[in-house]
Amino acid sequence: MRQTGLGVVVVTYHSGAEAVDCAESVLAAAAAAGLAVRLVMVDNASGDDTLDRLRAWASGAAPYAPPPDLPFAPAPLPKPIALAEGGPDLVPETVGEAPVSLIRNPVNGGFAGGVNIGLAHLARFPEIEHFWVLNPDGVIPPSTLPALAARLEGAGRYGLLGGRVVYLERPDVIQIDGGTVNRKTGVTGNVNLGQSASASPPPDPAGMDFVTGASMVASRAFYEAVGPMREDYFLYYEEVDWAMRRGDLPILWCEGFVVYHRGGTAIGSPTTSRVASPFSLYFKHRARLRFMRRFGRGRLIAHAYTLAYAARLLLARRAPVHAMATLRGGLGLAPPAAVAARLGPEAMRIALGEGAAPGGPAQKKSLGRPARLLRLILSALDPRAWAHLVKIVNYYNYSHVAPLRAVRRGAGVSITPDVNFSNPERIEIGDGVSLGSRCMIWAGPAHGRIRIGRYALFGPEVIVTAAGYRFNDGAPVTKQAMDEADVEIGEDVWLGARVIVLPGARIGAGSVIGAGSVVRGEIPPMSVAVGSPARVVGRREIASP
């Protein structure tokens, strides 16, 4: 086998069948061409049978059958294949001559987190000079590896190298030959997207900003100079960010370096026949704005693009869930519940940036002024906000505005706007009374009256009720009859914060009731009472002039 100095990193997550196809195509192409490659597969804590499928494939326990839609005839690959398995600390001494390493990542660290583990593993092998990052839903024909090996032999000094990625379901249609990025919006573009693979000439790599992470080769010189991918993107834009940090190391392109891509099988990326999933949209727009904070030229236009894209999803595609995922990602907000449900707690911690990234500890996120303005606009346009406002206005009307007209009240009464009244026709309030914030004055529905004497002072959140449900006849409490009794609160009484006065209570003039007390029965005039139930603990003494 001729040495190529090539190592391949494939990150899997709930993609067992696709990963088996990918690994089979790479090793079969290498064996057919007589080329030595080292393959490392990093599983990002899949909760399905991905690992079992890979083990069964390598051992030969599950005979390999190529998918019927494969656009080429794969070369035969003898089994078993030596496979070394372990955690992220798997070392070359343990791997030995095994061509395949299977690394179990204990958490889902996202695309970059998995790639970085694979790169670090391959970097321990001094003979590896080229690191090929390949998506698990990509497969290669037998001609791809010889073309790549020949290009690498004369590559010289370079940073990243790309080739042609085509749609597996439409093999003559190009998905991407390379990538560009708009520095005002952060939107990426695919070179030759939708063009004929057989008719399109090779692109000029000088016009590219990045190489797609679906199939990207990095030189060891690049890896050692730039370091690993930033992991705080979690999904999308990691390769764009990586390429932006390459300095003067050029991007190269390899003719004949073809990958057939069955896109979006794990995370729902868009294809020629479907819109991206909410999961994909949330992380893509979140990553785009994160990229713009690092490399963009202002972010107002980028936020406007988020709004326009979400509006198109809502109006043209009739996809409100997708639109909301786009908005939340673009504004840096927490993901929708359906998106968060796909990630475990540890993956959520990493995805939302609460852990440490390769460049150092993560910083607490804060929204910039454009994002706050955009969030305000979106809130004003959200029909649910207006519906809730109507509910609030309706509640305020029937609990305060309308009943206040029916309350008999004297002169100089002070009532905060959030006091709640019930059955107001049986409520009497004397001159100079002051009712604090969020008090509730509830007379009985049939006959229970509440009388508040002159100059009484209520602290915040005081509750006075002249009726209470029965609870012992076997029916649900709210369906039982109510017991009612008049409540009398004398002149110059002071009720502290959160005092509760129960039906039938009588509080004598001049009394003071301590905060949080529950009053039932009778409190003599000029008393100081506290507790639940309230008990007299002293007398209010009026100093002589």
Side-chain angles (χ1 to χ4, degrees):
M1 300 287 281
R2 182 163 61 92
Q3 295 299 319
T4 61
L6 179 65
V8 186
V9 178
V10 177
V11 178
T12 66
Y13 178 73
H14 290 187
S15 51
E18 295 81 8
V20 166
D21 292 335
C22 176
E24 176 82 16
S25 71
V26 169
L27 294 185
L35 300 173
V37 298
R38 183 169 293 281
L39 173 63
V40 54
M41 309 194 77
V42 181
D43 183 71
N44 256 346
S46 293
D48 61 359
D49 62 350
T50 295
L51 288 172
D52 291 336
R53 282 177 176 261
L54 290 170
R55 294 175 186 127
W57 160 78
S59 68
Y64 178 72
D69 59 350
L70 207 62
F72 58 86
L77 181 64
K79 306 291 188 313
I81 300 169
L83 181 148
E85 185 174 345
D89 56 352
L90 186 65
V91 295
E93 292 76 16
T94 303
V95 174
E97 297 300 318
V100 181
S101 300
L102 179 58
I103 296 179
R104 303 182 304 272
N105 190 5
V107 298
N108 182 359
F111 174 72
V115 167
N116 286 341
I117 289 174
L119 294 173
H121 177 73
L122 289 176
R124 296 187 179 106
F125 295 85
E127 70 274 15
I128 300 297
E129 291 294 331
H130 314 282
F131 306 89
W132 180 12
V133 178
L134 179 62
N135 265 19
D137 48 10
V139 291
I140 66 169
S143 59
T144 286
L145 266 179
L148 176 60
R151 183 70 178 89
L152 292 176
E153 284 182 357
R157 182 175 176 271
Y158 77 99
L160 299 168
L161 180 146
R164 178 157 289 171
V165 178
V166 297
Y167 292 104
L168 188 145
E169 62 270 24
R170 299 175 64 190
D172 192 49
V173 178
I174 297 172
Q175 181 181 5
I176 185 170
D177 275 349
T180 60
V181 61
N182 186 315
R183 297 297 186 90
K184 294 181 179 180
T185 63
V187 177
T188 57
N190 291 11
V191 174
N192 288 333
L193 173 65
Q195 300 299 310
S196 168
S198 58
S200 297
D204 180 5
M208 298 178 187
D209 293 318
F210 66 95
V211 177
T212 176
S215 176
M216 167 179 56
V217 180
S219 68
R220 182 178 280 269
F222 170 87
Y223 177 67
E224 292 177 348
V226 176
M229 290 183 172
R230 286 193 173 112
E231 297 181 12
D232 56 353
Y233 290 98
F234 194 73
L235 291 173
Y236 298 110
Y237 280 82
E238 302 96 334
E239 73 272 38
V240 189
D241 180 296
W242 215 27
M244 290 293 167
R245 296 185 280 137
R246 69 184 184 277
D248 62 349
L249 291 170
I251 291 177
L252 303 182
W253 200 82
C254 175
E255 189 169 2
F257 180 32
V258 177
V259 172
Y260 294 94
H261 189 210
R262 195 190 300 273
T265 57
I267 60 176
S269 297
T271 69
T272 56
S273 60
R274 70 161 186 256
V275 69
S277 69
F279 187 90
S280 171
L281 288 167
Y282 173 80
F283 281 107
K284 186 162 190 174
H285 287 274
R286 173 183 176 272
R288 177 173 60 85
L289 269 296
R290 181 160 297 216
F291 173 84
M292 286 297 292
R293 287 197 291 270
R294 288 172 171 149
F295 300 101
R297 299 170 184 164
R299 298 196 295 275
L300 185 59
I301 297 177
H303 286 299
Y305 177 85
T306 301
L307 180 60
Y309 194 93
R312 184 171 69 88
L313 287 170
L314 182 63
L315 301 176
R317 293 278 189 166
R318 300 287 196 271
V321 175
H322 296 68
M324 184 55 65
T326 298
L327 291 175
R328 296 191 73 85
L331 292 175
L333 303 176
V339 173
R342 292 192 57 182
L343 300 172
E346 185 65 16
M348 276 290 291
R349 185 187 68 80
I350 295 171
L352 297 182
E354 298 172 12
Q363 302 297 316
K364 182 178 179 180
K365 296 186 297 182
S366 60
L367 294 178
R369 184 177 300 172
R372 293 197 300 270
L373 176 60
L374 183 57
R375 185 171 62 178
L376 175 62
I377 294 172
L378 293 175
S379 297
L381 296 176
D382 191 339
R384 295 172 301 179
W386 290 101
H388 192 65
L389 178 61
V390 170
K391 292 179 182 178
I392 292 173
V393 171
N394 181 50
Y395 173 78
Y396 182 62
N397 181 65
Y398 77 69
S399 67
H400 181 87
V401 176
L404 189 58
R405 300 191 189 103
V407 173
R408 294 176 58 189
R409 61 188 192 275
V413 173
S414 173
I415 300 174
T416 60
D418 53 357
V419 172
N420 184 301
F421 296 99
S422 182
N423 303 308
E425 64 277 8
R426 284 181 283 281
I427 299 173
E428 299 176 24
I429 300 176
D431 297 343
V433 170
S434 177
L435 303 182
S437 178
R438 297 186 296 279
C439 287
M440 299 180 184
I441 314 299
W442 296 341
H447 57 79
R449 294 183 173 276
I450 296 175
R451 299 181 183 88
I452 303 173
R454 297 185 307 161
Y455 306 112
L457 173 63
F458 285 27
E461 300 182 7
V462 168
I463 299 175
V464 181
T465 178
Y469 284 104
R470 298 173 184 171
F471 54 83
N472 53 7
D473 70 359
V477 170
T478 56
K479 296 185 181 299
Q480 295 188 38
M482 301 185 80
D483 292 321
E484 302 183 35
D486 294 350
V487 173
E488 297 279 351
I489 298 174
E491 296 183 2
D492 193 26
V493 167
W494 179 15
L495 304 183
R498 296 183 177 176
V499 166
I500 299 175
V501 181
L502 298 178
R506 284 171 170 74
I507 303 176
S511 291
V512 177
I513 311 299
S517 299
V518 178
V519 181
R520 55 184 300 177
E522 186 169 349
I523 302 294
M526 305 302 288
S527 298
V528 177
V530 297
S532 178
R535 301 181 188 280
V536 176
V537 296
R539 295 280 300 168
R540 179 182 176 189
E541 303 292 342
I542 305 297
S544 300

